[in-house]
Amino acid sequence: MAEAKGLSDTRQAIMRSAADLFAELGYRNTSIRAIAADAGCDPALVPHYFDSKEALYSAVIADTVRPAEVLREALRRGDAGAAEWLLRHAVADWEDPEQGRRILGVLRSVLDLPVARERMSRALLPREVADSGADEVRVWLVSSLFIGIMTSRHMGLLDETLFKEGGEGAVDALAPVVEALLGAGEPDV
Amino acid sequence: MAEAKGLSDTRQAIMRSAADLFAELGYRNTSIRAIAADAGCDPALVPHYFDSKEALYSAVIADTVRPAEVLREALRRGDAGAAEWLLRHAVADWEDPEQGRRILGVLRSVLDLPVARERMSRALLPREVADSGADEVRVWLVSSLFIGIMTSRHMGLLDETLFKEGGEGAVDALAPVVEALLGAGEPDV
DNA sequence: CGAGCAATTCAACACCCATTGAAATACGGC
DNA sequence: GCCGTATTTCAATGGGTGTTGAATTGCTCG
């Protein structure tokens, strides 16, 4: 075997290095050469396995977690416990090394690359949520809060102890906030 | 040719174009050549007036608004009205073209340039606030929310009607959130 | 006028970038 | 053994980057 491209060992190494570097430095600041160096192969292999740098990025974030589904579930519950449930889900995603890396990979490049922006936009607001109308504002605001938290944390602004031990600190601190947020956009309809 | 304007006015043009482009595209995606083209001058003038691209960036964001002072004032008030007061201040800053441009200029490049990260960090948390200890977490969380809001909005994720008419929509939607946030980090100490 | 000085232009440097195509290597099937 | 395919290397291309230093303009003042 070993004729299918997808099974190549270095191909996976490239993917992993790319995910790491894109998350750490962002799309623009990550060079194909740096990826190849990290993966321990020749730079020419990158456009060989993946067609281009942008295609590589797309492949890296192809199966990013879709926070919208979690948000939708939280909205469906609707009661007070939804906030804490949502927060635990989010924190768990952030803490999971694989998921966290993917999320950061998108977040870190979302301002540089149109495709990243579009993906995040679509991931955050699929049609089902958009169609619900009244929920839209709440979804965006919760997303905004999470984006801010992740960005701040990535910038080293947030105390890391907030996220230790299953993120109890973060959950406790943010639960009332998310609670207020989930009820915020609710009109009198 | 044109009349002599004391201190070069192309220098100001460079500064203005740089502020625009840095805010729009970020530090890394903005080239000196693009700045010069926008300002209508030769690229060599940029390193001539300002020593380097990074120095130009520093000059552009030299007098960025310091949200920490506003935050501190809000914390000093401490009552429920503080949240709304803080929000109105923040929204006003975002809407002001000059301030908004500066803020975006920092936010957009804070992940690319260490100096931007350091500046934002220092701007958000001066020593007075840091020394207060218990307030620190609250300051960071409020900052995170604002960072998220600004980022989301810059990504085009947020409904712009939220910010029309003095940002009444945003204030209304976020007031209870900020309220919860200002009380969140309060420990039993 | 012409010297002096700032403002500006021009051409070039050295470097990094993504991408390409041809050559070289490893390796399983016949 | 050889063949074909997949994998990898090598060298090069064309373009963009920040920055530099010398040359050129434009203007003010002696």
Side-chain angles (χ1 to χ4, degrees), chain B residues 1-2 31-33 44 52-53:
Chain B
M1 212 182 141
S31 67
I32 283 188
R33 288 171 155 88
S52 68
K53 182 185 177 184

Short mmCIF file of all heavy atoms in Angstrom, two decimals, chain B residues 1-2 31-33 44 52-53, chain D residues 17-21 26-28:
data_model
loop_
_atom_site.label_atom_id
_atom_site.label_comp_id
_atom_site.label_asym_id
_atom_site.label_seq_id
_atom_site.Cartn_x
_atom_site.Cartn_y
_atom_site.Cartn_z
N MET B 1 6.28 74.39 -5.55
CA MET B 1 4.96 73.83 -5.83
C MET B 1 3.93 74.33 -4.84
O MET B 1 3.65 75.52 -4.74
CB MET B 1 5.08 72.32 -5.72
CG MET B 1 4.15 71.61 -6.66
SD MET B 1 4.19 69.86 -6.56
CE MET B 1 2.48 69.54 -6.76
N ALA B 2 3.40 73.45 -4.04
CA ALA B 2 2.45 73.91 -3.02
C ALA B 2 3.17 74.74 -1.98
O ALA B 2 4.39 74.68 -1.84
CB ALA B 2 1.78 72.72 -2.36
N SER B 31 1.94 46.97 4.51
CA SER B 31 3.32 47.21 4.07
C SER B 31 3.61 48.70 4.02
O SER B 31 2.72 49.52 3.81
CB SER B 31 3.55 46.60 2.69
OG SER B 31 2.80 47.29 1.72
N ILE B 32 4.86 49.02 4.22
CA ILE B 32 5.29 50.41 4.12
C ILE B 32 4.93 50.96 2.75
O ILE B 32 4.49 52.11 2.62
CB ILE B 32 6.81 50.50 4.38
CG1 ILE B 32 7.07 50.39 5.89
CG2 ILE B 32 7.37 51.78 3.82
CD1 ILE B 32 8.50 50.65 6.27
N ARG B 33 5.08 50.13 1.75
CA ARG B 33 4.76 50.58 0.40
C ARG B 33 3.28 50.93 0.26
O ARG B 33 2.91 51.90 -0.41
CB ARG B 33 5.15 49.49 -0.60
CG ARG B 33 6.64 49.36 -0.78
CD ARG B 33 6.98 48.12 -1.60
NE ARG B 33 8.28 48.22 -2.27
CZ ARG B 33 9.41 47.86 -1.72
NH1 ARG B 33 9.43 47.38 -0.49
NH2 ARG B 33 10.55 47.99 -2.39
N ALA B 44 10.23 55.46 0.64
CA ALA B 44 11.43 55.75 1.42
C ALA B 44 11.18 56.84 2.45
O ALA B 44 11.95 57.00 3.40
CB ALA B 44 12.57 56.16 0.49
N SER B 52 11.52 53.39 11.70
CA SER B 52 11.25 52.06 11.18
C SER B 52 9.75 51.84 11.17
O SER B 52 8.98 52.65 11.69
CB SER B 52 11.93 50.99 12.04
OG SER B 52 11.32 50.95 13.31
N LYS B 53 9.34 50.75 10.59
CA LYS B 53 7.92 50.44 10.54
C LYS B 53 7.36 50.27 11.95
O LYS B 53 6.27 50.75 12.25
CB LYS B 53 7.70 49.17 9.72
CG LYS B 53 6.25 48.77 9.57
CD LYS B 53 6.12 47.43 8.85
CE LYS B 53 4.68 47.01 8.76
NZ LYS B 53 4.53 45.66 8.15
P DT D 17 4.56 44.13 -0.17
OP1 DT D 17 3.32 44.17 0.63
OP2 DT D 17 4.86 45.18 -1.17
"O5'" DT D 17 5.78 44.03 0.83
"C5'" DT D 17 5.84 42.93 1.77
"C4'" DT D 17 7.17 42.97 2.53
"O4'" DT D 17 8.22 42.46 1.69
"C3'" DT D 17 7.63 44.38 2.88
"O3'" DT D 17 7.00 44.77 4.08
"C2'" DT D 17 9.13 44.15 3.07
"C1'" DT D 17 9.45 42.99 2.13
N1 DT D 17 10.23 43.35 0.91
C2 DT D 17 11.59 43.32 0.96
O2 DT D 17 12.22 43.05 1.96
N3 DT D 17 12.22 43.64 -0.22
C4 DT D 17 11.60 43.98 -1.42
O4 DT D 17 12.25 44.26 -2.43
C5 DT D 17 10.17 43.99 -1.39
C7 DT D 17 9.41 44.33 -2.62
C6 DT D 17 9.55 43.67 -0.24
P DG D 18 7.05 46.30 4.49
OP1 DG D 18 6.07 46.45 5.59
OP2 DG D 18 6.95 47.13 3.28
"O5'" DG D 18 8.51 46.46 5.10
"C5'" DG D 18 8.88 45.67 6.21
"C4'" DG D 18 10.33 45.94 6.59
"O4'" DG D 18 11.18 45.63 5.46
"C3'" DG D 18 10.62 47.39 6.96
"O3'" DG D 18 11.53 47.42 8.07
"C2'" DG D 18 11.25 47.97 5.70
"C1'" DG D 18 11.95 46.77 5.08
N9 DG D 18 11.98 46.84 3.60
C8 DG D 18 10.93 47.08 2.76
N7 DG D 18 11.26 47.08 1.50
C5 DG D 18 12.61 46.82 1.51
C6 DG D 18 13.54 46.71 0.43
O6 DG D 18 13.32 46.82 -0.78
N1 DG D 18 14.83 46.44 0.87
C2 DG D 18 15.18 46.30 2.19
N2 DG D 18 16.47 46.05 2.44
N3 DG D 18 14.34 46.40 3.21
C4 DG D 18 13.07 46.67 2.80
P DT D 19 11.97 48.86 8.68
OP1 DT D 19 12.38 48.66 10.09
OP2 DT D 19 10.91 49.82 8.37
"O5'" DT D 19 13.27 49.20 7.84
"C5'" DT D 19 14.28 48.21 7.71
"C4'" DT D 19 15.36 48.67 6.77
"O4'" DT D 19 14.90 48.59 5.40
"C3'" DT D 19 15.81 50.13 6.98
"O3'" DT D 19 17.14 50.14 7.48
"C2'" DT D 19 15.70 50.76 5.59
"C1'" DT D 19 15.60 49.56 4.66
N1 DT D 19 14.85 49.83 3.40
C2 DT D 19 15.52 49.74 2.19
O2 DT D 19 16.70 49.47 2.08
N3 DT D 19 14.75 50.00 1.08
C4 DT D 19 13.41 50.33 1.06
O4 DT D 19 12.81 50.55 0.00
C5 DT D 19 12.77 50.42 2.35
C7 DT D 19 11.31 50.78 2.46
C6 DT D 19 13.51 50.16 3.45
P DT D 20 17.83 51.54 7.89
OP1 DT D 20 18.74 51.26 9.02
OP2 DT D 20 16.80 52.59 7.99
"O5'" DT D 20 18.73 51.83 6.60
"C5'" DT D 20 19.61 50.82 6.13
"C4'" DT D 20 20.27 51.28 4.83
"O4'" DT D 20 19.28 51.27 3.78
"C3'" DT D 20 20.84 52.69 4.88
"O3'" DT D 20 22.24 52.64 4.70
"C2'" DT D 20 20.12 53.44 3.75
"C1'" DT D 20 19.57 52.32 2.88
N1 DT D 20 18.30 52.65 2.18
C2 DT D 20 18.27 52.61 0.81
O2 DT D 20 19.22 52.32 0.12
N3 DT D 20 17.04 52.93 0.26
C4 DT D 20 15.89 53.26 0.94
O4 DT D 20 14.85 53.52 0.34
C5 DT D 20 15.99 53.29 2.36
C7 DT D 20 14.80 53.65 3.20
C6 DT D 20 17.18 52.98 2.93
P DG D 21 23.16 53.85 5.22
OP1 DG D 21 24.34 53.25 5.86
OP2 DG D 21 22.32 54.84 5.93
"O5'" DG D 21 23.62 54.51 3.85
"C5'" DG D 21 23.99 53.68 2.77
"C4'" DG D 21 24.03 54.49 1.48
"O4'" DG D 21 22.69 54.55 0.92
"C3'" DG D 21 24.47 55.95 1.66
"O3'" DG D 21 25.33 56.30 0.58
"C2'" DG D 21 23.16 56.73 1.61
"C1'" DG D 21 22.36 55.89 0.62
N9 DG D 21 20.92 56.05 0.73
C8 DG D 21 20.20 56.26 1.89
N7 DG D 21 18.91 56.36 1.68
C5 DG D 21 18.78 56.22 0.30
C6 DG D 21 17.62 56.25 -0.51
O6 DG D 21 16.44 56.40 -0.18
N1 DG D 21 17.94 56.06 -1.86
C2 DG D 21 19.21 55.89 -2.36
N2 DG D 21 19.31 55.73 -3.67
N3 DG D 21 20.29 55.86 -1.60
C4 DG D 21 20.01 56.03 -0.29
P DG D 26 10.83 70.81 -8.69
OP1 DG D 26 9.46 70.44 -9.11
OP2 DG D 26 11.70 71.60 -9.56
"O5'" DG D 26 10.73 71.55 -7.27
"C5'" DG D 26 10.13 70.87 -6.18
"C4'" DG D 26 10.19 71.74 -4.93
"O4'" DG D 26 11.52 71.65 -4.34
"C3'" DG D 26 9.92 73.22 -5.19
"O3'" DG D 26 8.99 73.69 -4.22
"C2'" DG D 26 11.29 73.88 -5.01
"C1'" DG D 26 12.00 72.94 -4.05
N9 DG D 26 13.45 72.89 -4.22
C8 DG D 26 14.14 72.78 -5.40
N7 DG D 26 15.44 72.74 -5.24
C5 DG D 26 15.61 72.81 -3.87
C6 DG D 26 16.80 72.80 -3.10
O6 DG D 26 17.96 72.73 -3.50
N1 DG D 26 16.52 72.88 -1.73
C2 DG D 26 15.26 72.97 -1.19
N2 DG D 26 15.20 73.04 0.12
N3 DG D 26 14.15 72.99 -1.90
C4 DG D 26 14.40 72.90 -3.22
P DC D 27 8.34 75.15 -4.43
OP1 DC D 27 6.88 75.00 -4.22
OP2 DC D 27 8.85 75.78 -5.67
"O5'" DC D 27 8.94 75.91 -3.18
"C5'" DC D 27 8.94 75.26 -1.91
"C4'" DC D 27 9.98 75.89 -1.01
"O4'" DC D 27 11.31 75.52 -1.44
"C3'" DC D 27 9.96 77.42 -0.98
"O3'" DC D 27 9.69 77.86 0.34
"C2'" DC D 27 11.36 77.83 -1.43
"C1'" DC D 27 12.18 76.58 -1.14
N1 DC D 27 13.40 76.43 -1.97
C2 DC D 27 14.65 76.34 -1.35
O2 DC D 27 14.71 76.38 -0.13
N3 DC D 27 15.75 76.20 -2.12
C4 DC D 27 15.65 76.15 -3.45
N4 DC D 27 16.76 76.00 -4.16
C5 DC D 27 14.38 76.24 -4.10
C6 DC D 27 13.28 76.39 -3.33
P DT D 28 9.40 79.43 0.64
OP1 DT D 28 8.16 79.47 1.44
OP2 DT D 28 9.51 80.19 -0.62
"O5'" DT D 28 10.63 79.82 1.58
"C5'" DT D 28 11.13 78.87 2.52
"C4'" DT D 28 12.36 79.41 3.22
"O4'" DT D 28 13.56 79.09 2.45
"C3'" DT D 28 12.37 80.92 3.44
"O3'" DT D 28 12.95 81.19 4.70
"C2'" DT D 28 13.24 81.42 2.30
"C1'" DT D 28 14.26 80.29 2.14
N1 DT D 28 14.80 80.12 0.76
C2 DT D 28 16.13 79.81 0.60
O2 DT D 28 16.90 79.68 1.51
N3 DT D 28 16.52 79.66 -0.71
C4 DT D 28 15.73 79.79 -1.85
O4 DT D 28 16.19 79.63 -2.97
C5 DT D 28 14.35 80.13 -1.61
C7 DT D 28 13.39 80.31 -2.76
C6 DT D 28 13.95 80.27 -0.32
#
